[in-house]
Amino acid sequence: MKIYDLDTPALLIDLDVMERNLGRMGSYAREHRLRLRPHTKTHKTPALGEMQLRSGAVGLTVAKVSEAEVMLESETPDLLVAYPVFGNAKMARLVNVAKRTNLTVSVDSVDVARPISEAAMAAGIRISVLAEVDAGLLRVGVQPELFVPLLQELDQLPGIELRGMAFYPGHIKDQDAEALSALSRLIGGLIAEARTAGFALPVVSGGSTPTMWSSHLVQGMNEIRPGTYIFNDRNTVISGACTMADCAVTILTTVVSTSVPGRYVIDGGSKTFSSDRAAAEGFGVMLDAPGALFEKMNEEHGYVKHEGHSRKVGEMVRVLPNHVCAAVNLHPKIFGIRGEQVISAWDVAGRGKLQ
Ligand SMILES: Cc1ncc(COP(=O)(O)O)c(C=O)c1O
């Protein structure tokens, strides 16, 4: 089947580019002796998790317990839930996951850690935890001055095993050497403080796609969790961490209306691309139409402004999305392509897994 035989909108992954991205990251991690634990939020697909494991990953990362359940299918030896898991309904499911693979959860408070400790005790197992510190994103993670006190509190809880530190440098969106060196000083300093307080921290888990090629410059970090790198997207290009040629994802759409002069409408809007913006204008890059601007969306309509090069109704156009992770979550299938040939189709088994 050729890509233009697919029904639209459809999410396409160029397998040659994806394999190159996987290989490059595997080599980088090996070269710098970093443990690679990709965040599967980007593809949400066990078969692609398996490919990451085959290309050098030691384990996988998810955000939700329900995503962890899905990702078990990849037979990962090791799984990190990089999210404060809270709620009675989740504990039994978390314990079941922990019985099937080596499970670690990142936590930033005793409020989150205690129920995990109690559930592990009741099940007669131990669950590993990483103490999360806020490295500047101001999202989750204790403030740095409270990191050692958090280690001390976690150390008191039975049923859990404190394995180290987690952080996510999501505030660094480009190749800002100063921001990276501040991050390195922060993490190096916290590791030293922890050591003085008697904590060895065998795992120091961080990393992101914008900072992926500078990971080795962060003092003491020995594990990285890039997610977007498998496909890359417009935001990754803008961050300077990849080029357009490294983007494996495109969304295939059909022109469905040309009724308004100076504009055409494609059959994908926020339900297809997500509403995520980039640090540049527009909701994606119109790949086959240089100069055209994807300027506006409703749920099912994408408004494309053009400068004289209109399209005909029925023509198919490919778009590079701003944020691939959010777009994948909206699609039932990922189509793997080589050139114009459709090679594979995977169900996005982890889409919509909110709990
Ligand atoms: C905790 C955590 N780790 C890793 C990642 C992966 O980040 P990226 O997609 O920039 O590689 C994310 C992304 O949101 C995250 O929230």
Short mmCIF file of all heavy atoms in Angstrom, two decimals, residues 37-39 41-42 61-63 80 82-83 106 132 137 139-140 167-170 206-212 224-229 236 323 325, ligand 1:
data_model
loop_
_atom_site.label_atom_id
_atom_site.label_comp_id
_atom_site.label_asym_id
_atom_site.label_seq_id
_atom_site.Cartn_x
_atom_site.Cartn_y
_atom_site.Cartn_z
N ARG A 37 16.90 5.29 29.41
CA ARG A 37 15.57 4.81 29.82
C ARG A 37 14.53 5.72 29.15
O ARG A 37 13.99 6.64 29.76
CB ARG A 37 15.45 4.91 31.35
CG ARG A 37 14.14 4.42 31.89
CD ARG A 37 14.05 4.71 33.37
NE ARG A 37 14.97 3.90 34.14
CZ ARG A 37 14.82 2.60 34.33
NH1 ARG A 37 13.78 1.96 33.82
NH2 ARG A 37 15.70 1.93 35.04
N PRO A 38 14.27 5.52 27.86
CA PRO A 38 13.41 6.45 27.12
C PRO A 38 12.01 6.59 27.72
O PRO A 38 11.45 5.60 28.22
CB PRO A 38 13.32 5.81 25.73
CG PRO A 38 14.43 4.84 25.65
CD PRO A 38 14.69 4.38 27.06
N HIS A 39 11.50 7.80 27.64
CA HIS A 39 10.11 8.03 28.05
C HIS A 39 9.21 7.64 26.88
O HIS A 39 9.33 8.18 25.79
CB HIS A 39 9.90 9.49 28.43
CG HIS A 39 8.74 9.67 29.38
ND1 HIS A 39 7.52 9.09 29.14
CD2 HIS A 39 8.63 10.33 30.55
CE1 HIS A 39 6.69 9.40 30.14
NE2 HIS A 39 7.34 10.14 31.01
N LYS A 41 6.11 8.14 26.52
CA LYS A 41 4.98 9.05 26.28
C LYS A 41 4.90 9.47 24.82
O LYS A 41 3.85 9.87 24.34
CB LYS A 41 5.12 10.30 27.15
CG LYS A 41 6.29 11.18 26.73
CD LYS A 41 6.61 12.24 27.77
CE LYS A 41 5.61 13.36 27.77
NZ LYS A 41 5.82 14.30 26.65
N THR A 42 6.02 9.42 24.11
CA THR A 42 6.03 9.91 22.73
C THR A 42 5.31 8.96 21.78
O THR A 42 4.56 9.38 20.92
CB THR A 42 7.48 10.15 22.27
OG1 THR A 42 8.10 11.01 23.22
CG2 THR A 42 7.54 10.77 20.89
N THR A 61 10.36 4.32 30.48
CA THR A 61 9.69 5.25 31.39
C THR A 61 8.26 5.47 30.93
O THR A 61 8.00 5.49 29.72
CB THR A 61 10.44 6.60 31.41
OG1 THR A 61 11.80 6.39 31.76
CG2 THR A 61 9.82 7.58 32.40
N VAL A 62 7.35 5.62 31.89
CA VAL A 62 5.96 6.01 31.60
C VAL A 62 5.56 7.08 32.61
O VAL A 62 6.28 7.31 33.59
CB VAL A 62 4.98 4.82 31.72
CG1 VAL A 62 5.24 3.76 30.67
CG2 VAL A 62 5.05 4.20 33.12
N ALA A 63 4.39 7.69 32.39
CA ALA A 63 3.90 8.67 33.36
C ALA A 63 2.79 8.08 34.23
O ALA A 63 2.63 8.49 35.38
CB ALA A 63 3.40 9.92 32.65
N LEU A 80 10.18 2.70 34.89
CA LEU A 80 10.09 3.85 35.81
C LEU A 80 8.77 4.58 35.56
O LEU A 80 8.49 4.96 34.42
CB LEU A 80 11.27 4.81 35.57
CG LEU A 80 11.17 6.18 36.26
CD1 LEU A 80 11.24 6.07 37.78
CD2 LEU A 80 12.29 7.11 35.77
N ALA A 82 7.51 7.88 36.09
CA ALA A 82 8.10 9.19 36.44
C ALA A 82 6.98 10.18 36.72
O ALA A 82 6.78 11.15 36.00
CB ALA A 82 8.99 9.67 35.31
N TYR A 83 6.26 9.90 37.79
CA TYR A 83 5.07 10.71 38.11
C TYR A 83 4.68 10.40 39.54
O TYR A 83 4.81 9.25 39.98
CB TYR A 83 3.91 10.31 37.18
CG TYR A 83 2.80 11.32 37.13
CD1 TYR A 83 2.84 12.38 36.26
CD2 TYR A 83 1.72 11.21 38.01
CE1 TYR A 83 1.83 13.32 36.23
CE2 TYR A 83 0.70 12.15 37.99
CZ TYR A 83 0.76 13.21 37.10
OH TYR A 83 -0.23 14.14 37.08
N SER A 106 8.99 7.73 40.79
CA SER A 106 9.61 8.94 41.32
C SER A 106 8.59 9.68 42.19
O SER A 106 7.42 9.82 41.82
CB SER A 106 10.20 9.82 40.22
OG SER A 106 9.26 10.06 39.23
N GLU A 132 12.46 12.98 43.82
CA GLU A 132 12.46 13.95 42.72
C GLU A 132 12.74 15.35 43.23
O GLU A 132 12.14 15.82 44.21
CB GLU A 132 11.11 13.91 41.98
CG GLU A 132 11.01 14.95 40.89
CD GLU A 132 10.48 14.42 39.57
OE1 GLU A 132 9.85 13.34 39.57
OE2 GLU A 132 10.69 15.10 38.55
N LEU A 137 11.95 23.65 36.46
CA LEU A 137 10.69 23.67 35.71
C LEU A 137 9.54 24.18 36.59
O LEU A 137 8.53 24.64 36.08
CB LEU A 137 10.39 22.26 35.18
CG LEU A 137 9.14 22.05 34.34
CD1 LEU A 137 9.14 22.93 33.08
CD2 LEU A 137 8.97 20.60 33.92
N ARG A 139 7.50 22.37 38.48
CA ARG A 139 6.32 21.51 38.25
C ARG A 139 6.20 20.54 39.42
O ARG A 139 5.43 20.77 40.34
CB ARG A 139 6.49 20.78 36.91
CG ARG A 139 5.29 19.97 36.48
CD ARG A 139 5.44 19.36 35.11
NE ARG A 139 6.43 18.30 35.06
CZ ARG A 139 6.67 17.55 33.98
NH1 ARG A 139 6.00 17.78 32.85
NH2 ARG A 139 7.57 16.59 34.00
N VAL A 140 6.94 19.47 39.42
CA VAL A 140 7.02 18.59 40.60
C VAL A 140 8.48 18.51 41.02
O VAL A 140 9.37 19.00 40.33
CB VAL A 140 6.48 17.17 40.32
CG1 VAL A 140 5.00 17.18 39.98
CG2 VAL A 140 7.28 16.50 39.20
N PHE A 167 15.04 14.07 38.20
CA PHE A 167 14.69 15.47 37.89
C PHE A 167 14.37 15.52 36.40
O PHE A 167 14.73 14.60 35.65
CB PHE A 167 15.83 16.44 38.26
CG PHE A 167 17.08 16.20 37.48
CD1 PHE A 167 17.35 16.93 36.32
CD2 PHE A 167 17.99 15.24 37.87
CE1 PHE A 167 18.50 16.70 35.58
CE2 PHE A 167 19.15 14.99 37.14
CZ PHE A 167 19.40 15.72 35.99
N TYR A 168 13.71 16.57 35.98
CA TYR A 168 13.38 16.74 34.56
C TYR A 168 13.68 18.18 34.15
O TYR A 168 13.00 19.10 34.63
CB TYR A 168 11.91 16.38 34.31
CG TYR A 168 11.47 16.66 32.89
CD1 TYR A 168 12.14 16.07 31.82
CD2 TYR A 168 10.41 17.51 32.61
CE1 TYR A 168 11.77 16.32 30.52
CE2 TYR A 168 10.02 17.76 31.31
CZ TYR A 168 10.70 17.17 30.27
OH TYR A 168 10.34 17.42 28.97
N PRO A 169 14.65 18.38 33.26
CA PRO A 169 15.04 19.75 32.92
C PRO A 169 14.17 20.35 31.81
O PRO A 169 14.68 20.86 30.81
CB PRO A 169 16.50 19.58 32.46
CG PRO A 169 16.51 18.22 31.84
CD PRO A 169 15.50 17.38 32.59
N GLY A 170 12.85 20.27 31.97
CA GLY A 170 11.92 20.73 30.94
C GLY A 170 11.93 22.23 30.74
O GLY A 170 11.35 22.75 29.77
N GLY A 206 17.77 11.89 34.76
CA GLY A 206 17.27 13.18 34.24
C GLY A 206 17.17 13.09 32.73
O GLY A 206 16.84 12.05 32.18
N GLY A 207 17.49 14.20 32.07
CA GLY A 207 17.54 14.18 30.61
C GLY A 207 16.23 14.54 29.94
O GLY A 207 15.15 14.42 30.52
N SER A 208 16.36 15.03 28.72
CA SER A 208 15.21 15.44 27.90
C SER A 208 15.69 15.48 26.45
O SER A 208 16.90 15.36 26.20
CB SER A 208 14.76 16.84 28.31
OG SER A 208 15.75 17.79 27.95
N THR A 209 14.79 15.69 25.53
CA THR A 209 15.21 15.74 24.13
C THR A 209 15.96 17.03 23.78
O THR A 209 17.01 16.96 23.14
CB THR A 209 14.00 15.49 23.20
OG1 THR A 209 13.54 14.15 23.45
CG2 THR A 209 14.35 15.64 21.73
N PRO A 210 15.47 18.22 24.20
CA PRO A 210 16.25 19.42 23.85
C PRO A 210 17.69 19.37 24.36
O PRO A 210 18.59 19.88 23.72
CB PRO A 210 15.46 20.56 24.52
CG PRO A 210 14.06 20.04 24.60
CD PRO A 210 14.18 18.56 24.83
N THR A 211 17.91 18.74 25.53
CA THR A 211 19.27 18.70 26.10
C THR A 211 19.99 17.39 25.79
O THR A 211 21.05 17.12 26.37
CB THR A 211 19.22 18.87 27.64
OG1 THR A 211 18.53 17.75 28.21
CG2 THR A 211 18.54 20.14 28.08
N MET A 212 19.43 16.57 24.89
CA MET A 212 19.92 15.18 24.80
C MET A 212 21.41 15.06 24.51
O MET A 212 22.09 14.23 25.10
CB MET A 212 19.10 14.35 23.81
CG MET A 212 19.07 14.84 22.38
SD MET A 212 17.89 13.84 21.43
CE MET A 212 17.60 14.89 20.03
N ILE A 224 19.40 8.74 31.49
CA ILE A 224 18.65 9.77 30.74
C ILE A 224 17.33 9.20 30.23
O ILE A 224 17.23 8.02 29.91
CB ILE A 224 19.49 10.35 29.57
CG1 ILE A 224 20.07 9.24 28.68
CG2 ILE A 224 20.61 11.22 30.12
CD1 ILE A 224 20.75 9.75 27.42
N ARG A 225 16.34 10.10 30.17
CA ARG A 225 14.98 9.66 29.80
C ARG A 225 14.43 10.48 28.63
O ARG A 225 13.32 11.01 28.73
CB ARG A 225 14.02 9.83 30.98
CG ARG A 225 14.42 9.19 32.28
CD ARG A 225 13.31 9.38 33.31
NE ARG A 225 12.87 10.75 33.41
CZ ARG A 225 13.37 11.64 34.26
NH1 ARG A 225 14.31 11.31 35.11
NH2 ARG A 225 12.91 12.88 34.27
N PRO A 226 15.14 10.62 27.53
CA PRO A 226 14.55 11.38 26.43
C PRO A 226 13.33 10.64 25.89
O PRO A 226 13.28 9.41 25.93
CB PRO A 226 15.67 11.41 25.39
CG PRO A 226 16.47 10.18 25.66
CD PRO A 226 16.40 9.97 27.16
N GLY A 227 12.34 11.38 25.42
CA GLY A 227 11.14 10.76 24.88
C GLY A 227 10.97 11.11 23.40
O GLY A 227 10.95 10.25 22.53
N THR A 228 10.91 12.40 23.12
CA THR A 228 10.59 12.89 21.77
C THR A 228 11.62 12.46 20.73
O THR A 228 11.31 12.35 19.54
CB THR A 228 10.48 14.43 21.82
OG1 THR A 228 9.60 14.78 22.90
CG2 THR A 228 9.91 15.00 20.55
N TYR A 229 12.86 12.21 21.16
CA TYR A 229 13.97 11.92 20.23
C TYR A 229 13.65 10.81 19.23
O TYR A 229 14.23 10.77 18.16
CB TYR A 229 15.24 11.52 21.02
CG TYR A 229 15.24 10.07 21.44
CD1 TYR A 229 15.93 9.12 20.70
CD2 TYR A 229 14.46 9.63 22.52
CE1 TYR A 229 15.88 7.77 21.05
CE2 TYR A 229 14.41 8.29 22.86
CZ TYR A 229 15.12 7.37 22.12
OH TYR A 229 15.06 6.04 22.46
N THR A 236 11.43 20.22 18.52
CA THR A 236 12.82 19.74 18.65
C THR A 236 13.72 20.48 17.67
O THR A 236 14.86 20.83 18.00
CB THR A 236 12.90 18.21 18.42
OG1 THR A 236 11.84 17.56 19.11
CG2 THR A 236 14.21 17.66 18.92
N HIS A 323 4.16 19.29 18.33
CA HIS A 323 4.46 18.46 19.50
C HIS A 323 3.95 17.05 19.22
O HIS A 323 2.75 16.78 19.33
CB HIS A 323 3.79 19.06 20.74
CG HIS A 323 4.10 18.31 22.00
ND1 HIS A 323 3.46 18.53 23.18
CD2 HIS A 323 5.01 17.33 22.24
CE1 HIS A 323 3.95 17.71 24.11
NE2 HIS A 323 4.89 16.98 23.55
N CYS A 325 4.22 14.13 20.79
CA CYS A 325 3.67 13.28 21.85
C CYS A 325 2.16 13.51 22.00
O CYS A 325 1.38 12.57 22.12
CB CYS A 325 4.36 13.55 23.19
SG CYS A 325 6.13 13.68 23.07
C1 LIG B 1 9.42 13.29 33.73
C2 LIG B 1 9.77 13.33 32.28
N1 LIG B 1 10.88 12.70 31.86
C3 LIG B 1 11.24 12.69 30.56
C4 LIG B 1 10.46 13.33 29.61
C5 LIG B 1 10.89 13.31 28.16
O1 LIG B 1 11.08 14.58 27.66
P1 LIG B 1 11.39 14.84 26.12
O2 LIG B 1 10.20 14.45 25.35
O3 LIG B 1 11.77 16.26 26.02
O4 LIG B 1 12.53 13.96 25.77
C6 LIG B 1 9.31 14.01 30.02
C7 LIG B 1 8.47 14.72 29.04
O5 LIG B 1 7.50 15.35 29.30
C8 LIG B 1 8.95 14.01 31.38
O6 LIG B 1 7.85 14.64 31.82
#
